[in-house]
Structure formats: C-alpha cells, structure tokens
C-alpha cells in the first residue's frame, strides 16, 4: 500500500539553510546536504528545498548544493523557488533533483507548467499553491484565493479553479500551503486541503501550520493529503520525523518506518 | 552506507546510458557507492566494455526511443540483452523493454513480450511515493532485503508482461502491477533504487556484485 509521506522543507538562501536547526550532532547545521542526509537517516520520505535566494547569481550555488545532496541523501529531492523556464528546470534536474516546484512563475505564465511537463514528464512537475481564506466572491467562489510572492500578493484567482487548471496543464503533484496557517502552529487548513484533494487525482502535499503529530494525522484523514510537509517543528527539534511517523502509524495510517529510524536525535 | 568492494578490490565497470532523461547523478552515485567504476555513455561508441549496462530514465516512451535511436543505442542494447549480459533497466528503462507503450503508441525495444499500460485502477496518479514491493521468487538482487520492503516509485504507467514467469515482484496501488521483472541476467525495476534509501543502495550493490560475478 502506498505510504503517506512526511517531508521536511529547508529554506535555502545563497546555499545555506536560512532558519536555524537544533540537530546537536551536525558539523555544520547551515549546510543543506548535511541536514538533508540527517533527515533521510531519520526517516524522511523526501526532501524539499525552497530556494529564497533573491539574486539570480545565487543559482550556481543552488545547483551545487542540489548535486551534493543527490550524492549523499538517497531519497527524492524537490526544488522550489527561482525556476523561471524549461532550461532552469533542466539544470536543476541534471544537478540531481527529481522534481521541481513552480509557484509564482506558474501564475504569471501558466503555459510554463505545460512546457515543463511535456519536456520532463508530469511526475517531475509540482505546482505549489499558496492560498488564503477570503469572503466568497465572483472571482473566488470557493473562498480560497491564490496568493503569490511568498504569500504577500493576492491575485484574484480561485485556488480550486487554479488547482484544476494546473493539473490539466500537466502538474503531477500539488503542494498546497495555507498562508493563514503557515508559521502559526495552529494546524493545517484541512477544509482547504479537502476541497482541493477531492477535486484532483494527482497527489496533494499539505503544508502550513503543523504543530505536532496530530496535525499530520488530520491532514491525511480530514484533508485527504497524500503527503505532509513541515519545517519549523523539525528544525527546532520539537518533533522528530520518526516520532511523527510513529504517531501516524499508531493512528492506522500507512507510513514507512525505518528499522533504525527511531534513533534519538 | 552499503559499499561493496568488488573481487580483488577492483571497481566493477558499469555504463549508464545517458539519453537526456533527467537526473543521472543519483543512480551514478548509488553505483559508485556500490563499488562501480561508472561511465556515462551519450552515444553507443561510449558504452565501452562494462560488466553491467544500466538504462535509467523517466518520462514518455516516444521521445525516449527517439533519443536512444539518435545515440545509436538500439542495436547495441538488443545485442547486449540477446547475449544475456547483465542489464538493469530502471523505471522508463524497464518500460522500454516491452513491445509498445499505451502512453503514446510508441514501438519500444520488444525484448519482453507485452506492453506498457496506464495504471487506470489507481486512486491517485502519478503513483508517487514509497510502496511495498512483493517478490514472487527469490532473486540475488533482493538478497538481504526484507520481504515487502518499501521502495520509491514515481510513474503513471507500468509494463504488463505477456509472460508471467518474468514477473519478479508486484506492487499494489488500487491495482496490482509489475514492480520488477527478471530473465537471466536481465533485471528491470519500476521503482527507483537510487532514491530508495538503504534498501535501494543494497539492491544496486547486489546487482553490481552479480554482474562482477557473471563477468
């Protein structure tokens, strides 16, 4: 049976992890490949790098850390942020990533989703949808509105209609973040997740709001998520990947448990 | 991790066919970790004399066959497999072994009877994530790997062999599909061992070791 995935997300700028972590046994806790390998050993099912490097000249650094990660963490790697063209995506995949996540650029140029999927296959194209709750309107009938540029800019697009559109264009997976919940620790927006996961057949990754294992369970059970992504609770060592997965397993959800994955951090 | 030093301490020569199908870093690194001396072949002239030939790849069949033909690879791969020399096909590299693909109607290598079908019974597509691989019989590639171990998949199509005896393993995702095939020294896996953690590395190491023994 297909396992529900638990995915740590690392924010990366200029080749360094931006938010600090509390792994005590890392030589360099700012080095993304070292952190990725640590999470892989702990049972992460996949790693997401979100590149928030502002300057385009930082791209070479990103490709370098992608390659170093592919050489030491033998689990799937998704890279989001800064991919603006088919050639950008090719470079990231050739460096060793398995998937690329498109967000703001897909809203600006939806056909980019189609071009990337045509070239590399839908399985390599994740579309990240950041959404917030708004009063239902003609433009946003579901009351879930797409926002871009890190959640700062609303675009008057209904998140459900956008989800359906990008899947038609070739997205193989959706990464759905509740901007209302992101960083709040108040739990995932399971209603928003359910609305989107019920609409599409591609896998949906839940993001934004995790405080503990019960939120991961709710994202899957109530939100219909296939995978659950979190950042802060793992980096701050509030919970380990293994603890979250053990709780999910105890709740009857299918997860991949590593024989050595319960080791203490 | 599970490094293997080949017989006599020499590294095992392995060639990975590079036909522009995405990430080769992971499979090359997994092979190196397994004790291989890896060469990347962009044309048939670069294949050399390896102990093991690896065809990786993700994506659609028709453009992949075009690129294999453009690199001159098709007759070489057919001869290699006909001679029962050690071969590993991964994901698309397995699907291309069948006669044709339902995805785009492409005629593929035809090494195995049957064709590639869409996983129409699946609750979600693409089938992305870790899933259990259930072996039908013992095979050296899975030595030391627990029954029903999890491997990482990312695909919407899978090979449907006409000859039941080549089915080495199956996986369930709303329907049963072929997760691995084996015939002599040919092995094809639908999952990605290079992205399947410790068990994946063990499988790659087993394949490299078997190839070294067969040489």
């Amino acid at each position: 049976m297909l396992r529900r995935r638990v995915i740590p997300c690392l924010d990366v700028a200029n080749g360094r992890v931006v938010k600090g972590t509390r792994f005590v046994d890392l030589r360099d806790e700012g080095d993304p490949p070292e952190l990725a390998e640590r999470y892989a050993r702990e049972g992460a099912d996949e790693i997401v790098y979100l590149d928030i490097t502002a300057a385009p000249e930082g791209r070479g650094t990103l490709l370098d850390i992608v390659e170093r990660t592919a050489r030491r963490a033998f689990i799937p790697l998704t890279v989001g942020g800064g991919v603006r063209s088919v050639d950008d995506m090719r470079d990231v995949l050739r460096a060793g990533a398995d998937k690329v996540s498109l967000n703001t650029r897909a809203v600006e140029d939806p056909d980019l989703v189609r071009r990337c999927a045509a070239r590399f296959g839908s399985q390599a194209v994740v579309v990240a949808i950041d959404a917030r709750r708004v009063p239902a309107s003609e433009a946003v009938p579901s009351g879930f509105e797409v926002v871009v540029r890190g959640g700062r800019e609303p675009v008057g697009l209904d998140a459900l209609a956008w989800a359906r559109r990008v899947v038609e264009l070739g997205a193989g997976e959706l990464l759905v973040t509740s901007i209302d919940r992101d960083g709040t620790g108040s739990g995932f927006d399971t209603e928003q997740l359910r609305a989107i996961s019920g609409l599409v057949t591609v896998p949906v990754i839940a993001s934004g709001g995790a405080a503990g294992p019960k939120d991961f369970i709710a994202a899957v059970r109530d939100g219909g998520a296939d995978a659950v992504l979190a950042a802060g609770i793992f980096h701050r060592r509030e919970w380990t990947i293994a603890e979250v997965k053990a709780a999910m397993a105890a709740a009857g959800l299918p997860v991949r448990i590593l024989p050595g994955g319960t080791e203490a951090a | 991790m599970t490094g293997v030093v080949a017989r006599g301490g020499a590294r095992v020569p392995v060639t990975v066919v590079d036909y522009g199908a995405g990430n080769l870093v992971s499979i090359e690194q997994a092979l190196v970790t397994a004790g291989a001396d890896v060469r990347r072949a962009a044309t048939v002239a670069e294949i050399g004399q390896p102990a093991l030939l690896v065809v990786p790849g993700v994506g659609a069949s028709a453009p992949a066959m075009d690129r294999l033909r453009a690199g001159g690879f098709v007759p070489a791969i057919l001869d290699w497999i006909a001679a029962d020399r050690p071969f590993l096909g991964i994901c698309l590299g397995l699907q291309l072994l069948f006669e044709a693909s339902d995805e785009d109607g492409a005629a593929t290598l035809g090494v195995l009877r049957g064709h590639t079908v869409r996983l129409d019974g699946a609750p979600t597509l693409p089938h992305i994530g870790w899933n259990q691989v259930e072996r039908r019989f013992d095979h050296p590639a899975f030595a030391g790997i627990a029954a029903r171990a999890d491997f990482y998949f990312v695909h919407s199509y899978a090979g449907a062999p006409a000859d039941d005896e080549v089915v080495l393993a199956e996986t369930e995702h709303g329907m049963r599909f072929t997760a691995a095939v084996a015939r002599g020294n040919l092995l094809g896996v639908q999952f990605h061992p290079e992205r399947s953690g410790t068990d994946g590395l063990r499988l790659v190491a087993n394949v490299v070791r078997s190839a070294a023994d067969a040489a």
Side-chain angles (χ1 to χ4, degrees):
Chain A
M1 181 182 257
L2 183 61
R3 309 305 199 175
R4 305 294 178 161
R5 285 167 284 156
V6 174
I7 305 173
C9 175
L10 305 180
D11 286 357
V12 175
N14 301 306
R16 305 285 294 172
V17 175
V18 176
K19 291 171 191 158
T21 67
R22 292 189 186 167
F23 279 115
V24 294
D25 57 344
L26 295 182
R27 272 176 301 143
D28 175 2
E29 66 176 21
D31 186 44
E34 180 163 11
L35 258 176
E37 184 184 359
R38 190 67 180 74
Y39 281 126
R41 288 215 320 261
E42 199 182 81
D45 294 308
E46 195 167 323
I47 300 285
V48 170
Y49 284 161
L50 182 61
D51 183 38
I52 56 176
T53 306
E57 52 269 27
R59 294 300 286 175
T61 312
L62 176 74
L63 296 179
D64 175 63
I65 66 156
V66 167
E67 176 160 354
R68 287 197 293 121
T69 304
R71 292 195 184 284
R72 58 192 285 184
F74 293 95
I75 61 172
L77 175 64
T78 300
V79 174
V83 172
R84 302 184 61 82
S85 67
V86 169
D87 285 352
D88 284 347
M89 178 163 175
R90 178 202 61 204
D91 292 345
V92 172
L93 295 183
R94 283 194 76 88
D98 300 281
K99 296 184 261 188
V100 157
S101 171
L102 303 170
N103 191 338
T104 301
R105 188 63 186 153
V107 173
E108 293 169 350
D109 176 16
D111 189 63
L112 178 63
V113 176
R114 186 195 59 75
R115 297 196 304 275
C116 287
R119 172 76 187 273
F120 305 106
S122 287
Q123 85 292 327
V125 181
V126 182
V127 171
I129 300 177
D130 295 349
R132 63 170 188 175
R133 286 178 179 247
V134 294
S137 65
E138 200 173 321
V140 187
S142 74
F144 299 116
E145 182 184 30
V146 176
V147 288
V148 298
R149 299 188 202 290
R152 295 190 299 275
E153 187 181 319
V155 292
L157 196 58
D158 190 293
L160 272 55
W162 178 236
R164 192 185 278 128
R165 172 113 189 265
V166 295
V167 170
E168 283 167 7
L169 286 167
E173 206 166 21
L174 301 181
L175 168 55
V176 178
T177 301
S178 164
I179 289 300
D180 301 319
R181 303 291 181 88
D182 200 27
T184 66
S186 55
F188 296 99
D189 188 337
T190 54
E191 280 180 38
Q192 181 175 289
L193 286 169
R194 173 59 70 185
I196 292 176
S197 67
L199 199 64
V200 297
T201 56
V202 302
V204 169
I205 306 169
S207 160
K214 68 172 177 31
D215 299 319
F216 287 73
I217 295 164
V220 173
R221 271 208 188 137
D222 305 332
D226 299 274
V228 188
L229 176 145
I233 67 160
F234 295 136
H235 305 331
R236 293 189 299 267
R237 306 309 288 161
E238 293 166 12
W239 296 92
T240 66
I241 305 266
E243 286 166 346
V244 167
K245 288 180 128 184
M248 293 171 78
L253 300 178
V255 290
R256 180 179 69 108
I257 301 288
L258 290 184
T262 52
E263 65 190 85
Chain B
M1 289 276 184
T2 52
V4 171
V5 176
R7 291 181 309 174
R11 291 201 153 251
V12 181
V14 174
T15 296
V16 176
V17 175
D18 175 8
Y19 56 112
N23 169 15
L24 294 182
V25 176
S26 306
I27 182 61
E28 289 178 352
Q29 191 63 31
L31 288 161
V32 167
T33 305
D37 178 19
V38 181
R39 169 199 283 248
R40 192 185 284 198
T43 66
V44 66
E46 293 166 7
I47 286 183
Q49 296 292 325
L52 171 69
L53 186 64
V54 179
V55 177
V58 292
S61 297
M65 285 302 297
D66 288 344
R67 291 191 300 263
L68 281 182
R69 282 191 203 96
F73 286 115
V74 172
I77 292 172
L78 293 176
D79 288 350
W80 184 273
I81 292 172
D84 195 30
R85 300 188 69 184
F87 179 92
L88 173 63
I90 298 172
C91 193
L92 184 59
L94 159 60
Q95 296 176 12
L96 293 176
L97 297 177
F98 292 93
E99 294 165 290
S101 169
D102 286 2
E103 182 169 11
D104 46 25
T108 47
L109 295 169
V111 169
L112 297 173
R113 295 205 307 127
H115 55 137
T116 297
V117 299
R118 192 167 190 270
L119 300 182
D120 278 327
T124 51
L125 275 185
H127 175 228
I128 297 180
W130 299 74
N131 204 336
Q132 292 164 296
V133 171
E134 302 170 25
R135 275 113 74 181
R136 281 196 182 176
F137 53 87
D138 286 338
H139 189 279
F142 285 92
I145 296 171
R148 302 170 64 87
D150 290 305
F151 288 87
Y152 184 76
F153 291 84
V154 48
H155 63 122
S156 294
Y157 289 76
D163 300 313
D164 197 50
E165 64 272 18
V166 304
V167 178
L168 168 58
E170 293 177 302
T171 291
E172 178 90 29
H173 181 50
M175 59 184 287
R176 291 183 81 75
F177 67 88
T178 299
V181 302
R183 189 182 71 192
N185 287 314
L186 175 150
L187 177 70
V189 292
Q190 182 56 62
F191 51 86
H192 290 267
E194 76 281 12
R195 281 313 204 202
S196 295
T198 309
D199 282 335
L201 290 178
R202 186 166 290 133
L203 184 142
V204 172
N206 287 339
V207 171
V208 169
R209 183 165 27 208
S210 294
D213 290 343

